[in-house]
Amino acid sequence: MKKESFLSVVPLLVFVLIFVGSGVYYGDFYALPSPVAVMMSVMVAFFMFSAPYSQKLTTFLEGCGNKNILSMCLIYLLAGAFATVSKSIGSVDVLVHFGTQLLDVRYIPVGVFMLAGFLSLASGTSVGTIVALGPVALGFVEEASLNIHLVGAALLGGAMFGDNLSMISDTTIAATQSQGCKMKDKFKTNLLLALPAAVITAVLYILLSDKGGEEMASASSELPNLLLALPYVAVIIGALLGMNVFLVLIMGLFLSGGLGFIFTDMSFLAFGKSMYEGFSNMQEIFILSLLTGGLAAMVEKAGGISYILHKVKSGIRGKKSALLGIGGLVGLTDMATANNTIAILISGKIAKNISDEYRISPRVSAAVLDIFSCIVQGVLPYGAQILILISFSKQGIHYPTLMYYSFYPALLLVAVLFSIFFRRKWE
């Protein structure tokens, strides 16, 4: 395949244009199923790239079978099954019942933002955080008649805040390892940018929440069975303890099933059907992840990723543009792969060369890599975080409106750009 040419990037552009274009035309970014858009792009790649058909097919299938892609796909299936089974036995209802009793409706959005930030910081996974808290947060929306976009954006922003800072996050590990710096140094540098953005975001959610909801319905006189909340409590504790996300979700799934057998009329057949319903709910993101993995592999093989990386590098003229270049590298790569960890791994080596050439501290380049990948991943309409959040919503989430309330990524971008252009001693 031809190396490092603009034509090798065209299939990715086709995907973005079809996805965004249909969203603008129909007024709904999810009117056209995203797997259809990416499949069209895959066909363009097969048509354009000059290599034997068998070689192109092998590259595509290897991309689909990438261990990171398959790992995420299994997480999607388990997450869907856990969310559906636990909701069917009443776990979500129990948590929502007590949450709405303990929290003033005005503070639910900021409470969701802070809880998501804490859980993501402790567990190191934004996807896992949205999986664990998504049904509960959206339960608050239904119970208190809150603005679903406000609460959804709070959950998304909190999850990305914690993931960006966590010392056990795969993005942090990838960024620090590729730049050769200590995690604590990257954390300190990152915190100076992320914390002000998070504080301002929290204040905005408090100010806006008065406009977002209505009075909660009076609580039922019948108290729910607290034991039904155990699956979610177990999942959250497991995440905080750093357990593998697969083990956490499997534990929560079978704990939900066991409690359903004991305290509800759930049968083994009903448990199995509920699990499958959860699998079905994740169908779109499952297929999308496989196809984007294959598409990204074909584009990379054709030199598309290298073309993007070297084009960005060629525009660097000084330290400030070098920092922007590092951010642009990882941001564009994230748009191409829809995975912030993979984006850091791909662009990390070139980012290291840039930072060495322009004498940028490794902790700064690591922070910039992680921050820009977090910003892009947090607003990407076909990214795992937003697609999982949307899959949990029965009311439906309108992507532009969700972005309207997604203050944290925008404020984080402002913070990092301000530091690049105006802070002399950021180094």
Side-chain angles (χ1 to χ4, degrees):
M1 296 183 185
K2 189 177 180 180
K3 301 297 181 182
E4 296 186 19
S5 70
F6 173 76
L7 291 178
S8 59
V9 186
V10 169
L12 288 176
L13 297 178
V14 170
F15 170 52
V16 174
L17 287 174
I18 292 175
F19 188 90
V20 176
S22 64
V24 172
Y25 182 79
Y26 293 108
D28 179 2
F29 277 81
Y30 303 97
L32 178 70
S34 52
V36 173
V38 75
M39 193 65 216
M40 292 178 180
S41 307
V42 169
M43 289 188 287
V44 170
F46 269 92
F47 175 76
M48 287 186 57
F49 295 157
S50 57
Y53 173 79
S54 59
Q55 182 182 336
K56 290 187 282 190
L57 181 61
T58 298
T59 301
F60 175 73
L61 294 177
E62 287 176 349
C64 293
N66 179 282
K67 67 176 183 179
N68 292 310
I69 299 296
L70 292 180
S71 174
M72 290 302 298
C73 287
L74 289 175
I75 290 173
Y76 300 151
L77 292 180
L78 289 173
F82 169 68
T84 303
V85 173
S86 59
K87 185 173 181 61
S88 69
I89 69 169
S91 297
V92 175
D93 296 334
V94 172
L95 291 171
V96 170
H97 173 87
F98 282 97
T100 52
Q101 298 306 303
L102 295 174
L103 284 175
D104 187 302
V105 65
R106 293 172 297 176
Y107 303 120
I108 286 178
V110 70
V112 167
F113 176 75
M114 294 175 66
L115 181 58
F118 173 74
L119 180 56
S120 187
L121 181 64
S123 64
T125 167
S126 54
V127 169
T129 296
I130 293 173
V131 166
L133 298 181
V136 177
L138 296 176
F140 288 144
V141 169
E142 296 176 6
E143 179 72 16
S145 298
L146 292 171
N147 184 331
I148 189 172
H149 297 94
L150 182 66
V151 176
L155 174 58
L156 178 64
M160 299 312 298
F161 166 75
D163 190 14
N164 179 216
L165 287 174
S166 176
M167 291 190 183
I168 61 173
S169 168
D170 48 3
T171 58
T172 294
I173 294 170
T176 54
Q177 291 296 313
S178 66
Q179 302 308 296
C181 73
K182 295 180 179 179
M183 287 191 183
K184 65 177 182 179
D185 294 334
K186 180 263 185 187
F187 176 82
K188 292 176 183 177
T189 303
N190 212 152
L191 185 64
L192 292 174
L193 302 173
L195 188 59
V199 170
I200 296 173
T201 298
V203 171
L204 288 173
Y205 284 142
I206 293 174
L207 295 175
L208 286 175
S209 58
D210 285 334
K211 303 176 182 179
E214 302 170 358
E215 293 298 323
M216 286 178 284
S218 58
S220 171
S221 57
E222 181 181 351
L223 292 177
N225 187 341
L226 286 176
L227 289 176
L228 294 178
L230 279 178
Y232 269 99
V233 174
V235 164
I236 292 173
I237 291 175
L240 292 175
L241 293 176
M243 287 179 61
N244 181 280
V245 65
F246 287 104
L247 296 178
V248 169
L249 290 172
I250 290 171
M251 173 185 66
L253 175 60
F254 285 99
L255 184 56
S256 294
L259 291 173
F261 297 149
I262 297 171
F263 296 108
T264 72
D265 58 357
M266 175 177 280
S267 63
F268 179 77
L269 182 60
F271 174 63
K273 287 184 175 181
S274 187
M275 280 184 61
Y276 187 72
E277 181 185 345
F279 292 164
S280 300
N281 291 340
M282 293 295 172
Q283 174 181 303
E284 181 173 344
I285 188 174
F286 184 96
I287 298 174
L288 176 66
S289 296
L290 287 178
L291 295 180
T292 51
L295 176 63
M298 292 184 72
V299 170
E300 184 175 11
K301 184 79 172 181
I305 300 298
S306 296
Y307 176 82
I308 293 172
L309 298 183
H310 285 97
K311 277 295 180 181
V312 172
K313 186 178 179 181
S314 65
I316 295 174
R317 297 292 181 268
K319 183 171 288 190
K320 291 180 180 180
S321 63
L323 289 169
L324 289 175
I326 291 173
L329 284 174
V330 73
L332 289 171
T333 310
D334 192 22
M335 290 177 65
T337 61
N339 186 303
N340 47 350
T341 304
I342 294 177
I344 292 173
L345 291 173
I346 290 174
S347 56
K349 186 177 293 185
I350 292 181
K352 177 62 175 173
N353 292 337
I354 293 172
S355 63
D356 288 343
E357 182 178 346
Y358 291 93
R359 297 181 181 180
I360 297 170
S361 169
R363 62 184 174 83
V364 173
S365 59
V368 169
L369 271 175
D370 205 346
I371 287 172
F372 274 91
S373 71
C374 166
I375 292 170
V376 173
Q377 191 68 26
V379 301
L380 210 58
Y382 49 89
Q385 290 80 359
I386 291 179
L387 288 176
I388 290 176
L389 179 61
I390 288 172
S391 72
F392 286 146
S393 169
K394 290 183 178 179
Q395 299 180 28
I397 290 179
H398 190 230
Y399 173 75
T401 309
L402 179 69
M403 290 297 99
Y404 177 81
Y405 289 108
S406 293
F407 306 122
Y408 178 71
L411 289 169
L412 183 60
L413 178 61
V414 170
V416 70
L417 291 178
F418 179 86
S419 295
I420 289 173
F421 286 108
F422 300 109
R423 287 183 59 183
R424 295 181 180 178
K425 296 184 179 180
W426 193 33
E427 294 288 324

